[in-house]
Structure formats: C-alpha cells, structure tokens
Amino acid sequence: KRINLSASEEVVELLEKLARRDEVPVATKALQLIKEALLIEEDVILGKLAQERDTDNAKYLDHEDLWEKYTK
C-alpha cells in the first residue's frame, strides 16, 4: 500500500544521503527507517508494561492483545 508523506527539506536531504550511502532508493530507506522506528516504539511500550507488571502475582498476557491495546 502507498502512503504520501510530507517532509522538511532537512529530512529529505538526510534521507537522500542515507539512501546514497546504502545504495537504495530514497523510498526504500524511508521505509526501512519507519520499520525501525516502529520496532523501537514497540520495545518502549513493552518495556513500560514489563515494569508495571513486574510483580510476584503477574499473569500471562498475549503479545498481540497487548499491541492492539497500546496502539489504539
């Protein structure tokens, strides 16, 4: 699926530099960075949840259910 994004000139220039360095199209580099950001965001959310649940009586929670809950 395609999405349209608007970016500042500074962001575009940086994406172009990174894309040249990695020898990939700018759109590919942008998608790689978005995917990486989403993984980081997931780690932050799950880390916070783990800290909240770090008790002796914690119950099992399904990853997919949690991701659905915390991304709404």
Side-chain angles (χ1 to χ4, degrees), residues 17-60:
K17 286 179 183 179
L18 293 171
R20 269 193 307 276
R21 180 198 69 190
D22 296 346
E23 298 179 345
V24 297
V26 173
T28 299
K29 179 47 63 179
L31 183 57
Q32 290 172 345
L33 292 171
I34 289 170
K35 287 178 180 179
E36 184 69 24
L38 290 172
L39 289 173
I40 292 168
E41 184 70 19
E42 181 182 33
D43 287 347
V44 168
I45 290 169
L46 292 175
K48 287 179 183 177
L49 180 64
Q51 285 180 340
E52 291 171 10
R53 292 184 39 78
D54 190 16
T55 65
D56 291 335
N57 61 347
K59 295 179 183 154
Y60 172 79

mmCIF file of all heavy atoms in Angstrom, residues 17-60:
data_model
loop_
_atom_site.group_PDB
_atom_site.id
_atom_site.type_symbol
_atom_site.label_atom_id
_atom_site.label_comp_id
_atom_site.label_asym_id
_atom_site.label_seq_id
_atom_site.Cartn_x
_atom_site.Cartn_y
_atom_site.Cartn_z
ATOM 1 N N LYS A 17 20.970 11.302 1.597
ATOM 2 C CA LYS A 17 22.341 10.921 1.953
ATOM 3 C C LYS A 17 22.410 9.473 2.421
ATOM 4 O O LYS A 17 23.303 8.720 2.026
ATOM 5 C CB LYS A 17 22.882 11.841 3.052
ATOM 6 C CG LYS A 17 23.230 13.227 2.577
ATOM 7 C CD LYS A 17 23.725 14.070 3.733
ATOM 8 C CE LYS A 17 24.009 15.492 3.281
ATOM 9 N NZ LYS A 17 24.468 16.347 4.397
ATOM 10 N N LEU A 18 21.478 9.090 3.274
ATOM 11 C CA LEU A 18 21.466 7.719 3.781
ATOM 12 C C LEU A 18 21.176 6.723 2.666
ATOM 13 O O LEU A 18 21.777 5.643 2.615
ATOM 14 C CB LEU A 18 20.438 7.581 4.902
ATOM 15 C CG LEU A 18 20.748 8.350 6.195
ATOM 16 C CD1 LEU A 18 19.557 8.299 7.142
ATOM 17 C CD2 LEU A 18 21.996 7.809 6.849
ATOM 18 N N ALA A 19 20.281 7.084 1.768
ATOM 19 C CA ALA A 19 19.945 6.203 0.645
ATOM 20 C C ALA A 19 21.150 6.021 -0.274
ATOM 21 O O ALA A 19 21.441 4.901 -0.715
ATOM 22 C CB ALA A 19 18.752 6.770 -0.123
ATOM 23 N N ARG A 20 21.869 7.098 -0.542
ATOM 24 C CA ARG A 20 23.090 7.000 -1.362
ATOM 25 C C ARG A 20 24.125 6.115 -0.687
ATOM 26 O O ARG A 20 24.727 5.247 -1.311
ATOM 27 C CB ARG A 20 23.684 8.384 -1.619
ATOM 28 C CG ARG A 20 23.196 9.061 -2.863
ATOM 29 C CD ARG A 20 24.040 10.266 -3.240
ATOM 30 N NE ARG A 20 24.225 11.240 -2.172
ATOM 31 C CZ ARG A 20 23.358 12.200 -1.867
ATOM 32 N NH1 ARG A 20 22.232 12.319 -2.542
ATOM 33 N NH2 ARG A 20 23.603 13.046 -0.897
ATOM 34 N N ARG A 21 24.307 6.338 0.611
ATOM 35 C CA ARG A 21 25.279 5.549 1.358
ATOM 36 C C ARG A 21 24.962 4.055 1.275
ATOM 37 O O ARG A 21 25.843 3.220 1.093
ATOM 38 C CB ARG A 21 25.282 5.983 2.824
ATOM 39 C CG ARG A 21 26.261 5.207 3.689
ATOM 40 C CD ARG A 21 25.967 5.327 5.155
ATOM 41 N NE ARG A 21 24.731 4.625 5.479
ATOM 42 C CZ ARG A 21 24.113 4.702 6.650
ATOM 43 N NH1 ARG A 21 24.589 5.474 7.595
ATOM 44 N NH2 ARG A 21 23.007 4.030 6.878
ATOM 45 N N ASP A 22 23.676 3.733 1.401
ATOM 46 C CA ASP A 22 23.255 2.329 1.419
ATOM 47 C C ASP A 22 22.910 1.795 0.031
ATOM 48 O O ASP A 22 22.515 0.643 -0.100
ATOM 49 C CB ASP A 22 22.052 2.164 2.350
ATOM 50 C CG ASP A 22 22.402 2.483 3.795
ATOM 51 O OD1 ASP A 22 23.608 2.567 4.125
ATOM 52 O OD2 ASP A 22 21.471 2.657 4.601
ATOM 53 N N GLU A 23 23.041 2.665 -0.964
ATOM 54 C CA GLU A 23 22.771 2.296 -2.360
ATOM 55 C C GLU A 23 21.372 1.708 -2.545
ATOM 56 O O GLU A 23 21.185 0.644 -3.134
ATOM 57 C CB GLU A 23 23.844 1.336 -2.874
ATOM 58 C CG GLU A 23 25.227 1.955 -2.862
ATOM 59 C CD GLU A 23 26.321 1.017 -3.334
ATOM 60 O OE1 GLU A 23 26.089 -0.215 -3.408
ATOM 61 O OE2 GLU A 23 27.417 1.512 -3.625
ATOM 62 N N VAL A 24 20.388 2.434 -1.998
ATOM 63 C CA VAL A 24 18.982 2.058 -2.142
ATOM 64 C C VAL A 24 18.184 3.300 -2.523
ATOM 65 O O VAL A 24 18.641 4.434 -2.299
ATOM 66 C CB VAL A 24 18.411 1.446 -0.846
ATOM 67 C CG1 VAL A 24 19.117 0.154 -0.483
ATOM 68 C CG2 VAL A 24 18.469 2.435 0.310
ATOM 69 N N PRO A 25 16.992 3.122 -3.090
ATOM 70 C CA PRO A 25 16.147 4.286 -3.378
ATOM 71 C C PRO A 25 15.746 5.007 -2.076
ATOM 72 O O PRO A 25 15.691 4.383 -0.999
ATOM 73 C CB PRO A 25 14.912 3.677 -4.054
ATOM 74 C CG PRO A 25 15.375 2.361 -4.578
ATOM 75 C CD PRO A 25 16.422 1.884 -3.604
ATOM 76 N N VAL A 26 15.458 6.279 -2.187
ATOM 77 C CA VAL A 26 15.063 7.078 -1.023
ATOM 78 C C VAL A 26 13.827 6.474 -0.355
ATOM 79 O O VAL A 26 13.757 6.386 0.875
ATOM 80 C CB VAL A 26 14.817 8.555 -1.427
ATOM 81 C CG1 VAL A 26 14.234 9.346 -0.269
ATOM 82 C CG2 VAL A 26 16.115 9.188 -1.900
ATOM 83 N N ALA A 27 12.857 6.043 -1.147
ATOM 84 C CA ALA A 27 11.636 5.465 -0.575
ATOM 85 C C ALA A 27 11.949 4.194 0.221
ATOM 86 O O ALA A 27 11.349 3.953 1.278
ATOM 87 C CB ALA A 27 10.626 5.161 -1.675
ATOM 88 N N THR A 28 12.877 3.402 -0.256
ATOM 89 C CA THR A 28 13.271 2.189 0.459
ATOM 90 C C THR A 28 13.921 2.544 1.787
ATOM 91 O O THR A 28 13.621 1.936 2.822
ATOM 92 C CB THR A 28 14.244 1.349 -0.400
ATOM 93 O OG1 THR A 28 13.579 0.973 -1.600
ATOM 94 C CG2 THR A 28 14.728 0.116 0.343
ATOM 95 N N LYS A 29 14.806 3.533 1.782
ATOM 96 C CA LYS A 29 15.465 3.953 3.018
ATOM 97 C C LYS A 29 14.436 4.497 3.992
ATOM 98 O O LYS A 29 14.478 4.193 5.194
ATOM 99 C CB LYS A 29 16.543 4.998 2.715
ATOM 100 C CG LYS A 29 17.284 5.537 3.920
ATOM 101 C CD LYS A 29 17.793 4.539 4.922
ATOM 102 C CE LYS A 29 18.796 3.574 4.464
ATOM 103 N NZ LYS A 29 19.254 2.651 5.536
ATOM 104 N N ALA A 30 13.483 5.283 3.500
ATOM 105 C CA ALA A 30 12.437 5.831 4.371
ATOM 106 C C ALA A 30 11.640 4.698 5.012
ATOM 107 O O ALA A 30 11.369 4.719 6.221
ATOM 108 C CB ALA A 30 11.517 6.761 3.578
ATOM 109 N N LEU A 31 11.274 3.697 4.230
ATOM 110 C CA LEU A 31 10.522 2.567 4.764
ATOM 111 C C LEU A 31 11.342 1.788 5.790
ATOM 112 O O LEU A 31 10.825 1.395 6.840
ATOM 113 C CB LEU A 31 10.068 1.641 3.636
ATOM 114 C CG LEU A 31 9.207 0.463 4.053
ATOM 115 C CD1 LEU A 31 7.948 0.917 4.797
ATOM 116 C CD2 LEU A 31 8.819 -0.358 2.831
ATOM 117 N N GLN A 32 12.625 1.589 5.533
ATOM 118 C CA GLN A 32 13.491 0.903 6.490
ATOM 119 C C GLN A 32 13.514 1.649 7.825
ATOM 120 O O GLN A 32 13.430 1.033 8.899
ATOM 121 C CB GLN A 32 14.914 0.785 5.951
ATOM 122 C CG GLN A 32 15.072 -0.175 4.805
ATOM 123 C CD GLN A 32 16.464 -0.103 4.170
ATOM 124 O OE1 GLN A 32 17.220 0.838 4.409
ATOM 125 N NE2 GLN A 32 16.779 -1.089 3.350
ATOM 126 N N LEU A 33 13.628 2.966 7.752
ATOM 127 C CA LEU A 33 13.692 3.763 8.977
ATOM 128 C C LEU A 33 12.358 3.775 9.715
ATOM 129 O O LEU A 33 12.323 3.746 10.951
ATOM 130 C CB LEU A 33 14.145 5.183 8.650
ATOM 131 C CG LEU A 33 15.591 5.295 8.174
ATOM 132 C CD1 LEU A 33 15.882 6.696 7.658
ATOM 133 C CD2 LEU A 33 16.557 4.906 9.277
ATOM 134 N N ILE A 34 11.265 3.792 8.976
ATOM 135 C CA ILE A 34 9.937 3.728 9.611
ATOM 136 C C ILE A 34 9.772 2.393 10.326
ATOM 137 O O ILE A 34 9.304 2.342 11.470
ATOM 138 C CB ILE A 34 8.822 3.956 8.574
ATOM 139 C CG1 ILE A 34 8.817 5.415 8.127
ATOM 140 C CG2 ILE A 34 7.456 3.557 9.146
ATOM 141 C CD1 ILE A 34 7.931 5.699 6.936
ATOM 142 N N LYS A 35 10.159 1.310 9.678
ATOM 143 C CA LYS A 35 10.068 -0.011 10.309
ATOM 144 C C LYS A 35 10.907 -0.065 11.584
ATOM 145 O O LYS A 35 10.469 -0.599 12.605
ATOM 146 C CB LYS A 35 10.514 -1.105 9.342
ATOM 147 C CG LYS A 35 9.514 -1.386 8.245
ATOM 148 C CD LYS A 35 10.050 -2.453 7.307
ATOM 149 C CE LYS A 35 9.087 -2.778 6.191
ATOM 150 N NZ LYS A 35 9.628 -3.813 5.269
ATOM 151 N N GLU A 36 12.112 0.483 11.525
ATOM 152 C CA GLU A 36 12.982 0.502 12.698
ATOM 153 C C GLU A 36 12.348 1.323 13.827
ATOM 154 O O GLU A 36 12.381 0.918 14.996
ATOM 155 C CB GLU A 36 14.348 1.080 12.337
ATOM 156 C CG GLU A 36 15.354 1.053 13.454
ATOM 157 C CD GLU A 36 15.816 -0.356 13.820
ATOM 158 O OE1 GLU A 36 15.741 -1.260 12.974
ATOM 159 O OE2 GLU A 36 16.243 -0.541 14.974
ATOM 160 N N ALA A 37 11.760 2.450 13.482
ATOM 161 C CA ALA A 37 11.097 3.288 14.484
ATOM 162 C C ALA A 37 9.927 2.552 15.126
ATOM 163 O O ALA A 37 9.700 2.665 16.338
ATOM 164 C CB ALA A 37 10.623 4.592 13.850
ATOM 165 N N LEU A 38 9.183 1.790 14.343
ATOM 166 C CA LEU A 38 8.059 1.027 14.889
ATOM 167 C C LEU A 38 8.543 -0.058 15.845
ATOM 168 O O LEU A 38 7.917 -0.303 16.886
ATOM 169 C CB LEU A 38 7.228 0.420 13.763
ATOM 170 C CG LEU A 38 6.424 1.419 12.942
ATOM 171 C CD1 LEU A 38 5.801 0.742 11.728
ATOM 172 C CD2 LEU A 38 5.356 2.090 13.794
ATOM 173 N N LEU A 39 9.657 -0.696 15.527
ATOM 174 C CA LEU A 39 10.216 -1.695 16.435
ATOM 175 C C LEU A 39 10.664 -1.050 17.746
ATOM 176 O O LEU A 39 10.453 -1.606 18.830
ATOM 177 C CB LEU A 39 11.395 -2.414 15.778
ATOM 178 C CG LEU A 39 11.046 -3.376 14.650
ATOM 179 C CD1 LEU A 39 12.318 -3.883 13.968
ATOM 180 C CD2 LEU A 39 10.212 -4.537 15.161
ATOM 181 N N ILE A 40 11.269 0.119 17.645
ATOM 182 C CA ILE A 40 11.697 0.842 18.849
ATOM 183 C C ILE A 40 10.481 1.228 19.683
ATOM 184 O O ILE A 40 10.470 1.067 20.911
ATOM 185 C CB ILE A 40 12.544 2.067 18.480
ATOM 186 C CG1 ILE A 40 13.881 1.618 17.888
ATOM 187 C CG2 ILE A 40 12.750 2.983 19.685
ATOM 188 C CD1 ILE A 40 14.676 2.723 17.228
ATOM 189 N N GLU A 41 9.434 1.723 19.026
ATOM 190 C CA GLU A 41 8.210 2.109 19.726
ATOM 191 C C GLU A 41 7.604 0.902 20.450
ATOM 192 O O GLU A 41 7.186 1.003 21.608
ATOM 193 C CB GLU A 41 7.197 2.681 18.735
ATOM 194 C CG GLU A 41 5.928 3.193 19.352
ATOM 195 C CD GLU A 41 6.098 4.459 20.168
ATOM 196 O OE1 GLU A 41 7.115 5.162 19.988
ATOM 197 O OE2 GLU A 41 5.217 4.738 20.995
ATOM 198 N N GLU A 42 7.593 -0.246 19.775
ATOM 199 C CA GLU A 42 7.078 -1.463 20.401
ATOM 200 C C GLU A 42 7.912 -1.830 21.623
ATOM 201 O O GLU A 42 7.364 -2.180 22.676
ATOM 202 C CB GLU A 42 7.089 -2.603 19.393
ATOM 203 C CG GLU A 42 6.551 -3.910 19.970
ATOM 204 C CD GLU A 42 6.617 -5.044 18.974
ATOM 205 O OE1 GLU A 42 7.554 -5.082 18.147
ATOM 206 O OE2 GLU A 42 5.734 -5.897 19.033
ATOM 207 N N ASP A 43 9.232 -1.741 21.504
ATOM 208 C CA ASP A 43 10.107 -2.050 22.633
ATOM 209 C C ASP A 43 9.836 -1.137 23.823
ATOM 210 O O ASP A 43 9.826 -1.589 24.976
ATOM 211 C CB ASP A 43 11.579 -1.929 22.236
ATOM 212 C CG ASP A 43 12.046 -3.063 21.348
ATOM 213 O OD1 ASP A 43 11.326 -4.084 21.231
ATOM 214 O OD2 ASP A 43 13.139 -2.929 20.753
ATOM 215 N N VAL A 44 9.620 0.147 23.557
ATOM 216 C CA VAL A 44 9.346 1.106 24.630
ATOM 217 C C VAL A 44 8.038 0.745 25.331
ATOM 218 O O VAL A 44 7.965 0.703 26.565
ATOM 219 C CB VAL A 44 9.294 2.550 24.083
ATOM 220 C CG1 VAL A 44 8.728 3.516 25.114
ATOM 221 C CG2 VAL A 44 10.679 2.990 23.633
ATOM 222 N N ILE A 45 7.013 0.469 24.538
ATOM 223 C CA ILE A 45 5.706 0.123 25.112
ATOM 224 C C ILE A 45 5.808 -1.147 25.941
ATOM 225 O O ILE A 45 5.326 -1.206 27.076
ATOM 226 C CB ILE A 45 4.649 -0.035 23.996
ATOM 227 C CG1 ILE A 45 4.325 1.325 23.389
ATOM 228 C CG2 ILE A 45 3.381 -0.698 24.524
ATOM 229 C CD1 ILE A 45 3.507 1.252 22.114
ATOM 230 N N LEU A 46 6.437 -2.185 25.387
ATOM 231 C CA LEU A 46 6.540 -3.448 26.109
ATOM 232 C C LEU A 46 7.439 -3.317 27.339
ATOM 233 O O LEU A 46 7.186 -3.957 28.363
ATOM 234 C CB LEU A 46 7.046 -4.545 25.172
ATOM 235 C CG LEU A 46 6.069 -4.945 24.063
ATOM 236 C CD1 LEU A 46 6.709 -5.944 23.116
ATOM 237 C CD2 LEU A 46 4.773 -5.479 24.631
ATOM 238 N N GLY A 47 8.471 -2.474 27.260
ATOM 239 C CA GLY A 47 9.322 -2.238 28.420
ATOM 240 C C GLY A 47 8.558 -1.579 29.559
ATOM 241 O O GLY A 47 8.695 -1.968 30.728
ATOM 242 N N LYS A 48 7.746 -0.582 29.235
ATOM 243 C CA LYS A 48 6.933 0.076 30.258
ATOM 244 C C LYS A 48 5.954 -0.906 30.883
ATOM 245 O O LYS A 48 5.766 -0.923 32.096
ATOM 246 C CB LYS A 48 6.174 1.261 29.652
ATOM 247 C CG LYS A 48 7.039 2.449 29.352
ATOM 248 C CD LYS A 48 6.233 3.571 28.733
ATOM 249 C CE LYS A 48 7.110 4.742 28.365
ATOM 250 N NZ LYS A 48 6.359 5.817 27.703
ATOM 251 N N LEU A 49 5.324 -1.708 30.029
ATOM 252 C CA LEU A 49 4.381 -2.688 30.529
ATOM 253 C C LEU A 49 5.080 -3.702 31.435
ATOM 254 O O LEU A 49 4.559 -4.070 32.496
ATOM 255 C CB LEU A 49 3.689 -3.403 29.371
ATOM 256 C CG LEU A 49 2.669 -4.446 29.773
ATOM 257 C CD1 LEU A 49 1.506 -3.811 30.519
ATOM 258 C CD2 LEU A 49 2.167 -5.179 28.556
ATOM 259 N N ALA A 50 6.256 -4.144 31.040
ATOM 260 C CA ALA A 50 7.001 -5.109 31.850
ATOM 261 C C ALA A 50 7.321 -4.532 33.221
ATOM 262 O O ALA A 50 7.211 -5.233 34.235
ATOM 263 C CB ALA A 50 8.279 -5.519 31.126
ATOM 264 N N GLN A 51 7.692 -3.266 33.265
ATOM 265 C CA GLN A 51 7.981 -2.641 34.556
ATOM 266 C C GLN A 51 6.729 -2.586 35.434
ATOM 267 O O GLN A 51 6.793 -2.830 36.631
ATOM 268 C CB GLN A 51 8.535 -1.230 34.357
ATOM 269 C CG GLN A 51 9.958 -1.212 33.886
ATOM 270 C CD GLN A 51 10.488 0.207 33.707
ATOM 271 O OE1 GLN A 51 9.733 1.157 33.584
ATOM 272 N NE2 GLN A 51 11.800 0.325 33.695
ATOM 273 N N GLU A 52 5.593 -2.244 34.820
ATOM 274 C CA GLU A 52 4.340 -2.174 35.572
ATOM 275 C C GLU A 52 3.942 -3.544 36.109
ATOM 276 O O GLU A 52 3.378 -3.659 37.187
ATOM 277 C CB GLU A 52 3.206 -1.655 34.678
ATOM 278 C CG GLU A 52 3.326 -0.212 34.281
ATOM 279 C CD GLU A 52 2.297 0.184 33.220
ATOM 280 O OE1 GLU A 52 1.379 -0.613 32.929
ATOM 281 O OE2 GLU A 52 2.421 1.301 32.675
ATOM 282 N N ARG A 53 4.217 -4.586 35.333
ATOM 283 C CA ARG A 53 3.766 -5.930 35.680
ATOM 284 C C ARG A 53 4.796 -6.727 36.481
ATOM 285 O O ARG A 53 4.553 -7.872 36.821
ATOM 286 C CB ARG A 53 3.434 -6.690 34.407
ATOM 287 C CG ARG A 53 2.213 -6.138 33.705
ATOM 288 C CD ARG A 53 1.829 -6.957 32.501
ATOM 289 N NE ARG A 53 1.971 -8.394 32.652
ATOM 290 C CZ ARG A 53 1.129 -9.195 33.307
ATOM 291 N NH1 ARG A 53 0.072 -8.690 33.880
ATOM 292 N NH2 ARG A 53 1.351 -10.492 33.373
ATOM 293 N N ASP A 54 5.916 -6.142 36.793
ATOM 294 C CA ASP A 54 6.984 -6.864 37.492
ATOM 295 C C ASP A 54 6.604 -7.081 38.957
ATOM 296 O O ASP A 54 7.105 -6.411 39.855
ATOM 297 C CB ASP A 54 8.298 -6.100 37.358
ATOM 298 C CG ASP A 54 9.480 -6.904 37.847
ATOM 299 O OD1 ASP A 54 9.351 -8.133 38.009
ATOM 300 O OD2 ASP A 54 10.539 -6.294 38.062
ATOM 301 N N THR A 55 5.687 -8.012 39.149
ATOM 302 C CA THR A 55 5.224 -8.351 40.496
ATOM 303 C C THR A 55 5.225 -9.868 40.644
ATOM 304 O O THR A 55 5.300 -10.606 39.664
ATOM 305 C CB THR A 55 3.794 -7.825 40.746
ATOM 306 O OG1 THR A 55 2.891 -8.501 39.859
ATOM 307 C CG2 THR A 55 3.700 -6.321 40.527
ATOM 308 N N ASP A 56 5.091 -10.326 41.866
ATOM 309 C CA ASP A 56 5.077 -11.764 42.128
ATOM 310 C C ASP A 56 3.842 -12.459 41.572
ATOM 311 O O ASP A 56 3.872 -13.634 41.259
ATOM 312 C CB ASP A 56 5.171 -12.033 43.634
ATOM 313 C CG ASP A 56 6.542 -11.657 44.183
ATOM 314 O OD1 ASP A 56 7.510 -11.652 43.400
ATOM 315 O OD2 ASP A 56 6.620 -11.361 45.386
ATOM 316 N N ASN A 57 2.724 -11.746 41.434
ATOM 317 C CA ASN A 57 1.474 -12.371 41.000
ATOM 318 C C ASN A 57 1.074 -11.983 39.572
ATOM 319 O O ASN A 57 -0.095 -12.014 39.226
ATOM 320 C CB ASN A 57 0.340 -12.042 41.977
ATOM 321 C CG ASN A 57 0.090 -10.544 42.059
ATOM 322 O OD1 ASN A 57 0.884 -9.753 41.588
ATOM 323 N ND2 ASN A 57 -1.010 -10.172 42.682
ATOM 324 N N ALA A 58 2.040 -11.644 38.743
ATOM 325 C CA ALA A 58 1.750 -11.256 37.361
ATOM 326 C C ALA A 58 1.169 -12.427 36.582
ATOM 327 O O ALA A 58 1.580 -13.573 36.762
ATOM 328 C CB ALA A 58 3.017 -10.756 36.672
ATOM 329 N N LYS A 59 0.205 -12.133 35.692
ATOM 330 C CA LYS A 59 -0.428 -13.153 34.867
ATOM 331 C C LYS A 59 0.049 -13.017 33.429
ATOM 332 O O LYS A 59 0.460 -11.936 32.991
ATOM 333 C CB LYS A 59 -1.945 -12.999 34.922
ATOM 334 C CG LYS A 59 -2.505 -13.253 36.299
ATOM 335 C CD LYS A 59 -4.000 -13.077 36.323
ATOM 336 C CE LYS A 59 -4.486 -13.285 37.750
ATOM 337 N NZ LYS A 59 -5.707 -12.613 38.038
ATOM 338 N N TYR A 60 -0.034 -14.109 32.677
ATOM 339 C CA TYR A 60 0.366 -14.131 31.267
ATOM 340 C C TYR A 60 -0.532 -13.204 30.455
ATOM 341 O O TYR A 60 -1.751 -13.206 30.609
ATOM 342 C CB TYR A 60 0.278 -15.555 30.714
ATOM 343 C CG TYR A 60 0.492 -15.621 29.228
ATOM 344 C CD1 TYR A 60 1.768 -15.561 28.700
ATOM 345 C CD2 TYR A 60 -0.589 -15.707 28.359
ATOM 346 C CE1 TYR A 60 1.980 -15.603 27.337
ATOM 347 C CE2 TYR A 60 -0.380 -15.744 26.988
ATOM 348 C CZ TYR A 60 0.897 -15.695 26.486
ATOM 349 O OH TYR A 60 1.086 -15.726 25.133
#
